[in-house]
Protein backbone atom coordinates (compact mmCIF):
# COMPACT_ATOMS: atom_id res chain seq x y z
CA UNK A 1 0.00 0.00 0.00
CA UNK A 2 1.28 3.43 -0.92
CA UNK A 3 2.05 5.83 1.88
CA UNK A 4 0.65 9.40 1.66
CA UNK A 5 3.99 10.71 0.49
CA UNK A 6 3.99 8.27 -2.42
CA UNK A 7 0.53 9.15 -3.70
CA UNK A 8 0.60 11.17 -6.91
CA UNK A 9 -2.58 12.86 -8.13
CA UNK A 10 -3.72 11.76 -11.55
CA UNK A 11 -4.77 14.86 -13.45
CA UNK A 12 -6.68 14.93 -16.69
CA UNK A 13 -4.80 16.55 -19.58
CA UNK A 14 -5.51 20.24 -19.92
CA UNK A 15 -5.05 22.83 -22.64
CA UNK A 16 -1.72 24.59 -22.93
CA UNK A 17 -1.30 27.45 -20.49
CA UNK A 18 1.59 29.72 -19.58
CA UNK A 19 3.85 28.48 -16.80
CA UNK A 20 4.91 30.63 -13.87
CA UNK A 21 7.96 31.93 -15.72
CA UNK A 22 5.99 32.89 -18.83
CA UNK A 23 6.90 29.88 -21.00
CA UNK A 24 3.96 28.00 -22.47
CA UNK A 25 3.40 24.46 -21.24
CA UNK A 26 4.78 21.87 -23.62
CA UNK A 27 2.36 20.02 -25.88
CA UNK A 28 2.65 16.25 -26.19
CA UNK A 29 5.00 16.34 -29.16
CA UNK A 30 7.90 18.72 -29.41
CA UNK A 31 10.89 19.10 -31.65
CA UNK A 32 13.02 18.88 -28.50
CA UNK A 33 12.39 17.44 -25.05
CA UNK A 34 10.65 19.38 -22.25
CA UNK A 35 13.90 20.20 -20.45
CA UNK A 36 15.63 21.36 -23.64
CA UNK A 37 12.56 23.37 -24.61
CA UNK A 38 12.52 25.18 -21.25
CA UNK A 39 16.24 25.92 -21.51
CA UNK A 40 15.75 27.29 -25.01
CA UNK A 41 12.82 29.40 -23.87
CA UNK A 42 14.70 30.83 -20.90
CA UNK A 43 17.85 31.36 -22.94
CA UNK A 44 15.91 33.13 -25.70
CA UNK A 45 14.15 35.41 -23.19
CA UNK A 46 17.20 36.25 -21.08
CA UNK A 47 19.41 36.83 -24.12
CA UNK A 48 16.81 39.14 -25.64
CA UNK A 49 16.47 41.12 -22.42
CA UNK A 50 20.23 41.50 -21.87
CA UNK A 51 21.11 42.58 -25.40
CA UNK A 52 17.72 43.89 -26.53
CA UNK A 53 18.15 47.63 -26.11
CA UNK A 54 21.69 47.66 -27.49
CA UNK A 55 20.52 45.57 -30.43
CA UNK A 56 17.65 47.97 -31.07
CA UNK A 57 20.08 50.90 -31.28
CA UNK A 58 22.29 48.93 -33.70
CA UNK A 59 19.43 48.10 -36.04
CA UNK A 60 17.63 51.44 -35.90
CA UNK A 61 20.79 53.47 -36.47
CA UNK A 62 21.84 50.92 -39.09
CA UNK A 63 18.68 51.60 -41.08
CA UNK A 64 19.83 55.22 -41.51
CA UNK A 65 23.47 54.20 -42.04
CA UNK A 66 22.37 52.48 -45.26
CA UNK A 67 21.73 55.96 -46.67
CA UNK A 68 25.04 57.47 -45.58
CA UNK A 69 25.63 59.28 -48.87
CA UNK A 70 22.04 60.53 -49.08
CA UNK A 71 22.34 61.91 -45.55
CA UNK A 72 25.57 63.73 -46.42
CA UNK A 73 23.78 65.44 -49.32
CA UNK A 74 20.67 66.20 -47.25
CA UNK A 75 22.69 67.78 -44.45
CA UNK A 76 24.95 69.90 -46.69
CA UNK A 77 23.29 71.64 -49.68
CA UNK A 78 26.70 72.06 -51.33
CA UNK A 79 26.80 68.29 -51.83
CA UNK A 80 23.51 68.20 -53.72
CA UNK A 81 24.33 67.67 -57.37
CA UNK A 82 22.07 66.64 -60.22
CA UNK A 83 24.93 65.09 -62.20
CA UNK A 84 28.72 64.97 -62.29
CA UNK A 85 30.07 67.92 -64.28
CA UNK A 86 33.73 68.06 -63.21
CA UNK A 87 36.20 65.18 -63.35
CA UNK A 88 38.49 64.40 -60.43
CA UNK A 89 41.50 65.72 -62.34
CA UNK A 90 39.73 69.02 -63.03
CA UNK A 91 38.57 69.24 -59.42
CA UNK A 92 42.03 68.82 -57.87
CA UNK A 93 43.93 70.93 -60.40
CA UNK A 94 43.48 74.28 -58.55
CA UNK A 95 44.31 72.59 -55.26
CA UNK A 96 47.51 71.03 -56.63
CA UNK A 97 48.53 74.35 -58.15
CA UNK A 98 48.13 76.25 -54.90
CA UNK A 99 49.47 73.49 -52.62
CA UNK A 100 51.29 70.80 -54.64
CA UNK A 101 51.84 67.33 -53.16
CA UNK A 102 55.25 66.80 -51.55
CA UNK A 103 57.54 64.41 -53.42
CA UNK A 104 57.83 60.95 -51.91
CA UNK A 105 54.65 61.24 -49.83
CA UNK A 106 51.34 59.38 -50.21
CA UNK A 107 48.25 60.80 -51.87
CA UNK A 108 44.77 59.39 -51.23
CA UNK A 109 41.89 60.17 -53.62
CA UNK A 110 38.30 59.00 -53.23
CA UNK A 111 35.90 59.12 -56.17
CA UNK A 112 32.22 60.01 -56.05
CA UNK A 113 30.80 56.48 -55.80
CA UNK A 114 27.84 55.05 -53.88
CA UNK A 115 27.57 56.71 -50.46
CA UNK A 116 30.12 59.44 -51.19
CA UNK A 117 28.52 62.41 -52.95
CA UNK A 118 31.79 64.34 -53.36
CA UNK A 119 35.44 63.96 -54.30
CA UNK A 120 37.88 63.64 -51.44
CA UNK A 121 41.69 64.02 -51.42
CA UNK A 122 44.30 63.86 -48.70
CA UNK A 123 48.05 64.44 -49.11
CA UNK A 124 51.09 66.25 -47.70
CA UNK A 125 52.26 69.58 -49.09
CA UNK A 126 55.69 71.17 -48.40
CA UNK A 127 55.75 74.11 -45.99
CA UNK A 128 59.31 75.33 -45.43
CA UNK A 129 61.40 72.46 -44.12
CA UNK A 130 58.39 70.36 -43.17
CA UNK A 131 55.01 69.31 -44.56
CA UNK A 132 51.39 69.80 -43.60
CA UNK A 133 48.30 67.77 -44.42
CA UNK A 134 45.85 68.94 -47.06
CA UNK A 135 42.44 67.31 -46.69
CA UNK A 136 39.53 68.50 -48.79
CA UNK A 137 36.09 67.57 -50.08
CA UNK A 138 35.33 68.92 -53.55
CA UNK A 139 31.98 69.32 -55.29
CA UNK A 140 31.74 67.24 -58.50
CA UNK A 141 29.25 69.82 -59.81
CA UNK A 142 31.32 73.00 -59.47
CA UNK A 143 34.85 71.85 -58.60
CA UNK A 144 34.78 74.09 -55.53
CA UNK A 145 36.24 72.96 -52.22
CA UNK A 146 33.28 72.22 -49.93
CA UNK A 147 35.16 71.54 -46.73
CA UNK A 148 38.71 71.20 -45.46
CA UNK A 149 40.07 69.51 -42.38
CA UNK A 150 39.51 66.24 -40.60
CA UNK A 151 37.14 63.87 -42.37
CA UNK A 152 36.46 66.42 -45.08
CA UNK A 153 32.80 67.20 -44.40
CA UNK A 154 31.07 70.04 -42.63
CA UNK A 155 27.98 68.33 -41.17
CA UNK A 156 28.28 65.39 -38.77
CA UNK A 157 24.67 64.19 -39.19
CA UNK A 158 25.40 61.16 -41.35
CA UNK A 159 28.47 60.08 -39.39
CA UNK A 160 26.72 60.29 -36.01
CA UNK A 161 24.13 57.73 -37.06
CA UNK A 162 26.71 55.62 -38.91
CA UNK A 163 28.97 55.36 -35.84
CA UNK A 164 26.01 54.73 -33.55
CA UNK A 165 25.24 51.65 -35.65
CA UNK A 166 28.33 49.91 -34.21
CA UNK A 167 28.75 52.02 -31.04
CA UNK A 168 31.63 53.83 -32.70
CA UNK A 169 31.30 56.68 -30.20
CA UNK A 170 32.84 54.26 -27.69
CA UNK A 171 35.91 53.59 -29.84
CA UNK A 172 37.42 50.10 -29.88
CA UNK A 173 35.46 48.92 -26.84
CA UNK A 174 32.21 50.11 -28.35
CA UNK A 175 32.83 48.15 -31.54
CA UNK A 176 33.81 45.12 -29.46
CA UNK A 177 30.54 45.35 -27.52
CA UNK A 178 28.58 45.56 -30.78
CA UNK A 179 30.33 42.42 -32.03
CA UNK A 180 29.48 40.38 -28.94
CA UNK A 181 25.89 41.63 -29.05
CA UNK A 182 25.71 40.31 -32.63
CA UNK A 183 26.96 36.91 -31.44
CA UNK A 184 24.26 36.72 -28.74
CA UNK A 185 21.71 37.92 -31.28
CA UNK A 186 22.54 34.91 -33.44
CA UNK A 187 21.75 32.67 -30.48
CA UNK A 188 18.45 34.48 -29.96
CA UNK A 189 17.56 33.94 -33.62
CA UNK A 190 18.39 30.21 -33.55
CA UNK A 191 16.61 29.59 -30.24
CA UNK A 192 13.57 31.52 -31.48
CA UNK A 193 13.39 29.30 -34.56
CA UNK A 194 13.54 26.12 -32.47
CA UNK A 195 10.88 27.40 -30.08
CA UNK A 196 8.39 28.43 -32.76
CA UNK A 197 9.27 25.91 -35.48
CA UNK A 198 6.06 23.88 -35.24
CA UNK A 199 3.93 27.05 -35.17
CA UNK A 200 5.58 28.80 -38.10
CA UNK A 201 2.71 28.26 -40.60
CA UNK A 202 0.23 29.70 -38.11
CA UNK A 203 2.44 32.55 -36.88
CA UNK A 204 3.20 33.61 -40.45
CA UNK A 205 -0.32 34.93 -41.11
CA UNK A 206 -1.74 35.55 -37.63
CA UNK A 207 -1.86 39.26 -36.86
CA UNK A 208 -4.62 40.83 -34.76
CA UNK A 209 -3.85 44.54 -34.36
CA UNK A 210 -7.33 45.27 -32.95
CA UNK A 211 -6.96 42.72 -30.16
CA UNK A 212 -5.71 43.47 -26.65
CA UNK A 213 -2.19 44.83 -26.26
CA UNK A 214 -0.47 41.61 -25.25
CA UNK A 215 -2.02 39.67 -28.15
CA UNK A 216 -1.25 42.31 -30.79
CA UNK A 217 2.33 42.70 -29.54
CA UNK A 218 2.86 38.92 -29.60
CA UNK A 219 1.49 38.73 -33.14
CA UNK A 220 3.68 41.62 -34.28
CA UNK A 221 6.74 40.02 -32.64
CA UNK A 222 6.13 36.67 -34.37
CA UNK A 223 5.07 37.95 -37.80
CA UNK A 224 7.79 40.60 -38.15
CA UNK A 225 10.34 38.17 -36.74
CA UNK A 226 9.43 35.56 -39.34
CA UNK A 227 9.46 38.06 -42.22
CA UNK A 228 12.88 39.35 -41.24
CA UNK A 229 14.35 35.98 -40.24
CA UNK A 230 16.87 35.57 -43.13
CA UNK A 231 17.80 39.25 -42.82
CA UNK A 232 18.33 38.98 -39.06
CA UNK A 233 20.46 35.84 -39.39
CA UNK A 234 22.59 37.44 -42.11
CA UNK A 235 23.11 40.58 -40.03
CA UNK A 236 23.97 38.60 -36.92
CA UNK A 237 26.69 36.69 -38.78
CA UNK A 238 28.09 39.55 -40.85
CA UNK A 239 27.87 42.05 -37.99
CA UNK A 240 29.73 39.76 -35.61
CA UNK A 241 32.39 39.08 -38.25
CA UNK A 242 32.99 42.73 -39.10
CA UNK A 243 32.99 43.98 -35.50
CA UNK A 244 35.19 41.17 -34.19
CA UNK A 245 37.46 40.95 -37.24
CA UNK A 246 40.47 42.28 -35.34
CA UNK A 247 40.12 39.61 -32.68
CA UNK A 248 39.46 36.87 -35.25
CA UNK A 249 42.47 37.73 -37.38
CA UNK A 250 44.94 38.55 -34.59
CA UNK A 251 45.99 34.92 -33.89
CA UNK A 252 46.39 34.25 -37.63
CA UNK A 253 48.49 37.37 -38.16
CA UNK A 254 50.73 36.50 -35.21
CA UNK A 255 51.12 32.77 -35.81
CA UNK A 256 50.98 32.45 -39.61
CA UNK A 257 52.38 35.81 -40.75
CA UNK A 258 54.69 36.53 -37.82
CA UNK A 259 52.82 39.75 -37.02
CA UNK A 260 53.05 41.11 -40.59
CA UNK A 261 49.64 42.75 -41.11
CA UNK A 262 50.41 43.81 -44.69
CA UNK A 263 51.08 40.22 -45.73
CA UNK A 264 47.75 39.13 -44.24
CA UNK A 265 45.90 41.91 -46.09
CA UNK A 266 47.63 40.99 -49.35
CA UNK A 267 46.50 37.38 -48.98
CA UNK A 268 42.96 38.52 -48.29
CA UNK A 269 42.90 40.74 -51.37
CA UNK A 270 44.65 38.26 -53.64
CA UNK A 271 47.11 41.01 -54.63
CA UNK A 272 50.75 40.99 -53.57
CA UNK A 273 52.26 44.47 -53.49
CA UNK A 274 55.55 44.45 -55.45
CA UNK A 275 58.70 46.04 -53.96
CA UNK A 276 58.70 49.80 -54.46
CA UNK A 277 61.63 51.34 -52.63
CA UNK A 278 61.76 55.03 -53.53
CA UNK A 279 64.77 56.02 -55.62
CA UNK A 280 64.68 59.77 -55.07
CA UNK A 281 64.61 60.29 -58.83
CA UNK A 282 61.80 62.68 -59.86
CA UNK A 283 59.12 61.47 -62.27
CA UNK A 284 55.95 62.93 -63.77
CA UNK A 285 52.73 61.43 -62.42
CA UNK A 286 49.90 60.57 -64.80
CA UNK A 287 46.35 61.85 -64.39
CA UNK A 288 43.69 59.88 -62.51
CA UNK A 289 41.83 59.35 -65.79
CA UNK A 290 44.95 57.81 -67.38
CA UNK A 291 45.32 55.38 -64.51
CA UNK A 292 41.67 54.35 -64.90
CA UNK A 293 42.10 53.83 -68.65
CA UNK A 294 45.19 51.66 -68.11
CA UNK A 295 43.27 49.08 -66.05
CA UNK A 296 42.71 45.61 -67.60
CA UNK A 297 39.57 44.89 -69.65
CA UNK A 298 38.20 42.85 -66.74
CA UNK A 299 37.63 46.21 -65.00
CA UNK A 300 35.23 47.47 -67.69
CA UNK A 301 32.19 46.96 -65.43
CA UNK A 302 33.98 48.08 -62.26
CA UNK A 303 33.58 51.54 -60.73
CA UNK A 304 36.90 52.92 -59.48
CA UNK A 305 36.41 54.09 -55.89
CA UNK A 306 39.89 54.85 -54.50
CA UNK A 307 43.37 55.58 -55.82
CA UNK A 308 46.23 55.61 -53.34
CA UNK A 309 49.54 56.83 -54.78
CA UNK A 310 52.56 55.75 -52.71
CA UNK A 311 55.64 57.95 -53.21
CA UNK A 312 54.16 60.80 -55.26
CA UNK A 313 56.59 62.24 -57.80
CA UNK A 314 59.15 59.44 -57.40
CA UNK A 315 60.25 57.17 -60.23
CA UNK A 316 59.37 54.07 -58.16
CA UNK A 317 55.94 55.32 -57.06
CA UNK A 318 53.02 52.92 -57.38
CA UNK A 319 49.24 53.39 -57.49
CA UNK A 320 46.88 51.11 -55.57
CA UNK A 321 43.46 51.12 -57.24
CA UNK A 322 40.33 49.85 -55.50
CA UNK A 323 37.07 49.18 -57.30
CA UNK A 324 33.41 48.40 -56.76
CA UNK A 325 32.10 45.47 -58.84
CA UNK A 326 28.33 45.82 -58.45
CA UNK A 327 27.61 42.67 -60.46
CA UNK A 328 29.64 40.42 -58.15
CA UNK A 329 28.87 39.74 -54.52
CA UNK A 330 32.25 38.25 -53.65
CA UNK A 331 34.57 40.59 -55.53
CA UNK A 332 37.01 43.02 -53.97
CA UNK A 333 38.75 44.44 -57.07
CA UNK A 334 42.30 45.71 -56.56
CA UNK A 335 45.10 46.56 -58.95
CA UNK A 336 48.58 48.05 -58.64
CA UNK A 337 50.06 50.27 -61.37
CA UNK A 338 53.41 51.92 -61.95
CA UNK A 339 52.64 55.56 -61.23
CA UNK A 340 55.04 57.03 -63.76
CA UNK A 341 54.01 54.85 -66.71
CA UNK A 342 50.56 53.43 -65.91
CA UNK A 343 51.82 49.86 -66.40
CA UNK A 344 49.67 47.30 -64.58
CA UNK A 345 51.97 45.43 -62.21
CA UNK A 346 49.38 43.14 -60.64
CA UNK A 347 45.59 42.82 -60.59
CA UNK A 348 43.10 40.33 -59.16
CA UNK A 349 40.03 39.10 -61.02
CA UNK A 350 37.26 41.58 -60.19
CA UNK A 351 34.56 39.00 -60.93
CA UNK A 352 35.91 36.25 -58.67
CA UNK A 353 38.43 37.21 -56.02
CA UNK A 354 39.99 34.53 -53.79
CA UNK A 355 38.42 32.42 -51.04
CA UNK A 356 39.40 34.59 -48.07
CA UNK A 357 38.95 37.93 -49.81
CA UNK A 358 35.74 36.75 -51.45
CA UNK A 359 34.25 35.73 -48.12
CA UNK A 360 35.13 39.07 -46.55
CA UNK A 361 33.82 40.99 -49.56
CA UNK A 362 30.58 38.99 -49.56
CA UNK A 363 29.91 39.73 -45.90
CA UNK A 364 30.70 43.43 -46.36
CA UNK A 365 28.55 43.72 -49.49
CA UNK A 366 25.67 41.87 -47.85
CA UNK A 367 25.92 43.94 -44.69
CA UNK A 368 25.80 47.29 -46.51
CA UNK A 369 23.52 46.25 -49.42
CA UNK A 370 26.29 46.87 -51.96
CA UNK A 371 25.49 44.32 -54.61
CA UNK A 372 23.70 43.98 -57.91
CA UNK A 373 22.35 46.59 -60.32
CA UNK A 374 19.21 46.89 -58.17
CA UNK A 375 21.02 48.40 -55.21
CA UNK A 376 18.40 51.14 -54.58
CA UNK A 377 15.72 48.46 -54.24
CA UNK A 378 18.00 46.41 -51.98
CA UNK A 379 18.58 49.43 -49.73
CA UNK A 380 14.84 50.08 -49.44
CA UNK A 381 14.26 46.42 -48.55
CA UNK A 382 17.11 46.50 -46.01
CA UNK A 383 15.71 49.70 -44.49
CA UNK A 384 12.24 48.20 -44.01
CA UNK A 385 13.63 44.96 -42.61
CA UNK A 386 15.89 46.87 -40.20
CA UNK A 387 12.88 48.79 -38.89
CA UNK A 388 10.90 45.54 -38.64
CA UNK A 389 13.72 43.93 -36.65
CA UNK A 390 13.82 46.98 -34.37
CA UNK A 391 10.09 46.50 -33.71
CA UNK A 392 10.65 42.79 -33.00
CA UNK A 393 13.25 43.66 -30.37
CA UNK A 394 11.09 46.24 -28.57
CA UNK A 395 7.96 44.08 -28.63
CA UNK A 396 10.02 41.20 -27.26
CA UNK A 397 11.10 43.28 -24.26
CA UNK A 398 7.58 44.52 -23.55
CA UNK A 399 6.13 40.99 -23.90
CA UNK A 400 8.65 39.72 -21.36
CA UNK A 401 7.16 42.16 -18.85
CA UNK A 402 3.50 41.60 -19.80
CA UNK A 403 3.72 37.80 -19.67
CA UNK A 404 5.08 37.98 -16.12
CA UNK A 405 2.60 40.61 -14.94
CA UNK A 406 0.30 39.42 -12.12
CA UNK A 407 -3.47 39.61 -12.39
CA UNK A 408 -3.42 43.04 -10.78
CA UNK A 409 -0.84 45.08 -12.74
CA UNK A 410 -0.12 47.25 -9.71
CA UNK A 411 1.63 44.30 -8.06
CA UNK A 412 4.13 43.99 -10.90
CA UNK A 413 7.70 43.68 -9.51
CA UNK A 414 9.73 46.86 -9.54
CA UNK A 415 12.41 45.37 -11.80
CA UNK A 416 9.83 44.44 -14.44
CA UNK A 417 8.28 47.89 -14.39
CA UNK A 418 11.73 49.44 -14.62
CA UNK A 419 12.52 47.33 -17.69
CA UNK A 420 9.27 48.38 -19.35
CA UNK A 421 9.96 52.06 -18.78
CA UNK A 422 13.60 51.75 -19.87
CA UNK A 423 12.55 49.97 -23.08
CA UNK A 424 10.15 52.79 -23.92
CA UNK A 425 12.71 55.48 -23.13
CA UNK A 426 15.59 53.98 -25.09
CA UNK A 427 13.49 52.75 -28.02
CA UNK A 428 10.81 55.38 -28.51
CA UNK A 429 13.19 58.07 -27.25
CA UNK A 430 15.71 57.34 -30.01
CA UNK A 431 12.93 57.31 -32.62
CA UNK A 432 11.96 60.83 -31.48
CA UNK A 433 15.53 62.12 -31.06
CA UNK A 434 16.60 61.27 -34.62
CA UNK A 435 14.27 63.80 -36.31
CA UNK A 436 15.43 66.38 -33.74
CA UNK A 437 18.95 65.87 -35.09
CA UNK A 438 17.71 66.47 -38.65
CA UNK A 439 15.76 69.59 -37.67
CA UNK A 440 18.73 71.12 -35.85
CA UNK A 441 21.07 70.26 -38.72
CA UNK A 442 18.70 71.93 -41.19
CA UNK A 443 18.27 75.04 -39.03
CA UNK A 444 21.97 75.70 -38.33
CA UNK A 445 24.04 77.27 -41.16
CA UNK A 446 27.00 75.28 -42.42
CA UNK A 447 29.43 77.92 -41.16
CA UNK A 448 28.13 77.70 -37.58
CA UNK A 449 31.03 77.44 -35.16
CA UNK A 450 31.06 74.02 -33.52
CA UNK A 451 28.37 72.67 -35.87
CA UNK A 452 29.43 69.05 -35.38
CA UNK A 453 29.27 69.43 -31.60
CA UNK A 454 25.79 70.94 -31.77
CA UNK A 455 24.60 68.08 -33.97
CA UNK A 456 25.86 65.53 -31.43
CA UNK A 457 24.08 67.46 -28.68
CA UNK A 458 20.90 67.54 -30.79
CA UNK A 459 20.71 63.74 -30.80
CA UNK A 460 22.00 62.61 -27.43
CA UNK A 461 20.57 65.29 -25.10
CA UNK A 462 16.92 64.86 -26.26
CA UNK A 463 17.42 61.10 -26.13
CA UNK A 464 18.57 61.21 -22.51
CA UNK A 465 15.69 63.56 -21.62
CA UNK A 466 13.15 61.21 -23.22
CA UNK A 467 14.61 58.21 -21.38
CA UNK A 468 14.08 60.07 -18.09
CA UNK A 469 10.61 61.21 -19.17
CA UNK A 470 9.57 57.59 -19.77
CA UNK A 471 9.64 57.06 -15.99
CA UNK A 472 7.04 59.79 -15.46
CA UNK A 473 3.32 59.22 -15.91
CA UNK A 474 0.77 56.51 -15.20
CA UNK A 475 2.29 53.72 -17.29
CA UNK A 476 5.00 52.66 -19.71
CA UNK A 477 2.49 52.31 -22.54
CA UNK A 478 1.22 55.83 -21.88
CA UNK A 479 4.82 57.07 -22.19
CA UNK A 480 5.29 55.07 -25.40
CA UNK A 481 2.10 56.57 -26.82
CA UNK A 482 3.10 60.20 -26.41
CA UNK A 483 6.75 59.64 -27.37
CA UNK A 484 5.78 57.87 -30.60
CA UNK A 485 3.27 60.62 -31.29
CA UNK A 486 5.99 63.21 -30.75
CA UNK A 487 8.34 61.24 -33.04
CA UNK A 488 5.64 61.17 -35.73
CA UNK A 489 5.07 64.93 -35.60
CA UNK A 490 8.82 65.68 -35.63
CA UNK A 491 9.34 63.30 -38.57
CA UNK A 492 6.68 65.14 -40.59
CA UNK A 493 8.49 68.41 -39.89
CA UNK A 494 11.81 67.20 -41.38
CA UNK A 495 10.91 67.62 -45.09
CA UNK A 496 9.17 70.90 -44.24
CA UNK A 497 12.34 72.22 -42.60
CA UNK A 498 14.40 71.15 -45.61
CA UNK A 499 12.02 72.90 -48.00
CA UNK A 500 11.92 76.12 -45.99
CA UNK A 501 15.70 76.34 -45.54
CA UNK A 502 16.93 75.17 -48.97
CA UNK A 503 13.89 75.43 -51.22
CA UNK A 504 14.35 71.77 -52.24
CA UNK A 505 10.79 70.64 -51.54
CA UNK A 506 10.20 67.00 -52.57
CA UNK A 507 8.54 68.01 -55.86
CA UNK A 508 11.32 70.52 -56.60
CA UNK A 509 14.06 68.00 -55.81
CA UNK A 510 12.34 65.39 -58.00
CA UNK A 511 12.23 67.69 -61.03
CA UNK A 512 15.79 68.94 -60.37
CA UNK A 513 17.34 65.47 -60.51
CA UNK A 514 18.01 65.12 -56.77
CA UNK A 515 16.73 61.62 -55.94
CA UNK A 516 18.79 61.44 -52.74
CA UNK A 517 16.92 64.37 -51.23
CA UNK A 518 13.56 63.00 -52.35
CA UNK A 519 14.41 59.64 -50.73
CA UNK A 520 15.11 61.18 -47.32
CA UNK A 521 12.10 63.54 -47.31
CA UNK A 522 9.57 60.98 -48.52
CA UNK A 523 10.99 58.47 -46.07
CA UNK A 524 10.36 60.82 -43.15
CA UNK A 525 6.84 61.59 -44.36
CA UNK A 526 6.01 57.88 -44.45
CA UNK A 527 7.67 57.24 -41.09
CA UNK A 528 5.78 60.12 -39.52
CA UNK A 529 2.45 58.76 -40.72
CA UNK A 530 3.22 55.23 -39.49
CA UNK A 531 4.40 56.47 -36.07
CA UNK A 532 1.25 58.53 -35.57
CA UNK A 533 -0.87 55.50 -36.52
CA UNK A 534 0.98 53.25 -34.05
CA UNK A 535 0.64 55.88 -31.31
CA UNK A 536 -3.10 56.04 -31.96
CA UNK A 537 -3.43 52.25 -31.72
CA UNK A 538 -1.84 51.97 -28.29
CA UNK A 539 -4.19 51.62 -25.36
CA UNK A 540 -3.04 53.17 -22.10
CA UNK A 541 -5.51 50.97 -20.17
CA UNK A 542 -3.33 47.95 -21.02
CA UNK A 543 -0.30 49.44 -19.29
CA UNK A 544 1.37 48.25 -16.08
CA UNK A 545 0.39 50.30 -13.06
CA UNK A 546 2.12 53.38 -11.76
CA UNK A 547 5.77 53.08 -10.87
CA UNK A 548 5.01 54.22 -7.33
CA UNK A 549 3.22 51.00 -6.33
CA UNK A 550 5.67 48.58 -4.71
CA UNK A 551 3.48 46.16 -2.76
CA UNK A 552 3.30 42.58 -3.99
CA UNK A 553 0.23 41.89 -1.82
CA UNK A 554 -3.20 41.36 -3.47
CA UNK A 555 -5.05 44.62 -3.98
CA UNK A 556 -8.43 45.51 -5.29
CA UNK A 557 -8.65 45.76 -9.08
CA UNK A 558 -8.36 49.23 -10.49
CA UNK A 559 -11.36 50.72 -12.23
CA UNK A 560 -10.76 51.22 -15.95
Amino acid sequence: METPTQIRPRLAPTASAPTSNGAPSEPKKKLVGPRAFKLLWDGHSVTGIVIGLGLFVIFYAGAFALYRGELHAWADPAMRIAEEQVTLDEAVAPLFEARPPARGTDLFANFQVRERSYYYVRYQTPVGDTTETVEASISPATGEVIAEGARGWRSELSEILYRLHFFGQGGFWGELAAGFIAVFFLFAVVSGILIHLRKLPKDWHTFRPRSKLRTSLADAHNVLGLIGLPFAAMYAISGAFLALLIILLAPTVIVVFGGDQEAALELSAGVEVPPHELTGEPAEMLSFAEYAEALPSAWDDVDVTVMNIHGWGDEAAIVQVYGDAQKSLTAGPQAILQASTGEVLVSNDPAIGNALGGTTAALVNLHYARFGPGTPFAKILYFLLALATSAVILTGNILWVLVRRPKDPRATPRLHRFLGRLTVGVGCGLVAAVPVLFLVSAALPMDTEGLKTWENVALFVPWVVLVAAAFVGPSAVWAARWQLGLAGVLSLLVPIANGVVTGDWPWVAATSGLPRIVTIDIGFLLMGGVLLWVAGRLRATEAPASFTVTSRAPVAPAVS
Side-chain angles (χ1 to χ4, degrees), residues 233-462:
M234 178 275 293
Y235 252 85
I237 296 171
S238 62
F241 176 83
L242 295 175
L244 301 178
L245 188 59
I246 296 178
I247 296 178
L248 294 173
L249 290 182
T252 303
V253 173
I254 295 173
V255 176
V256 178
F257 296 96
D260 189 348
Q261 297 183 23
E262 292 187 3
L265 293 175
E266 290 174 7
L267 176 64
S268 173
V271 174
E272 184 177 355
V273 180
H276 55 284
E277 293 293 333
L278 301 184
T279 64
E281 294 294 328
E284 189 74 19
M285 300 290 98
L286 303 183
S287 65
F288 295 110
E290 288 174 313
Y291 292 135
E293 292 173 359
L295 293 169
S297 59
W299 282 65
D300 289 347
D301 294 327
V302 176
D303 293 327
V304 175
T305 59
V306 172
M307 288 189 184
N308 199 353
I309 303 177
H310 299 283
W312 175 275
D314 191 274
E315 189 178 38
I318 62 171
V319 184
Q320 281 188 288
V321 183
Y322 300 85
D324 184 358
Q326 297 187 21
K327 295 183 180 180
S328 175
L329 179 65
T330 61
Q334 288 192 39
I336 299 177
L337 285 66
Q338 189 73 41
S340 58
T341 63
E343 176 189 357
V344 177
L345 302 178
V346 62
S347 172
N348 64 7
D349 189 336
I352 300 175
N354 61 7
L356 178 58
T359 301
T360 304
L363 290 174
V364 171
N365 291 333
L366 281 172
H367 195 85
Y368 291 103
R370 297 174 179 171
F371 56 88
T375 299
F377 173 77
K379 288 171 68 172
I380 293 174
L381 182 61
Y382 269 48
F383 181 81
L384 296 176
L385 289 174
L387 295 184
T389 306
S390 301
V392 170
I393 296 165
L394 288 190
T395 54
N397 272 28
I398 297 298
L399 280 171
W400 191 89
V401 175
L402 293 179
V403 166
R404 290 158 178 78
R405 187 177 65 176
K407 290 184 178 180
D408 191 307
R410 292 175 295 176
T412 302
R414 179 180 291 272
L415 178 61
H416 293 181
R417 284 181 276 126
F418 174 81
L419 177 63
R421 301 279 187 157
L422 185 64
T423 299
V424 170
V426 173
C428 301
L430 178 59
V431 175
V434 166
V436 174
L437 167 62
F438 278 78
L439 293 173
V440 171
S441 180
L444 294 177
M446 285 295 103
D447 58 355
T448 300
E449 185 176 355
L451 174 62
K452 296 178 181 180
T453 301
W454 283 113
E455 287 176 328
N456 278 276
V457 169
L459 176 69
F460 291 106
V461 170

Side-chain angles (χ1 to χ4, degrees), residues 42 91 312 475:
D42 291 342
W312 175 275
S475 69

Side-chain angles (χ1 to χ4, degrees), residues 17 35 46 54 58 113 123 203 222 240 242 264 294 361-363 369 384 405 423:
R35 176 62 177 168
V46 172
I58 289 174
V113 179
Y123 62 91
D203 290 345
N222 293 336
L242 295 175
L363 290 174
L384 296 176
R405 187 177 65 176
T423 299

Side-chain angles (χ1 to χ4, degrees), residues 29-79:
K29 293 183 179 180
K30 282 286 183 185
L31 182 67
V32 295
R35 176 62 177 168
F37 181 83
K38 185 179 185 303
L39 289 174
L40 281 174
W41 182 279
D42 291 342
H44 180 76
S45 300
V46 172
T47 300
I49 291 301
V50 172
I51 69 171
L53 296 182
L55 198 60
F56 169 82
V57 174
I58 289 174
F59 270 96
Y60 194 76
F64 288 90
L66 290 167
Y67 290 90
R68 192 178 176 190
E70 286 82 352
L71 296 181
H72 273 304
W74 192 95
D76 190 346
M79 294 185 181

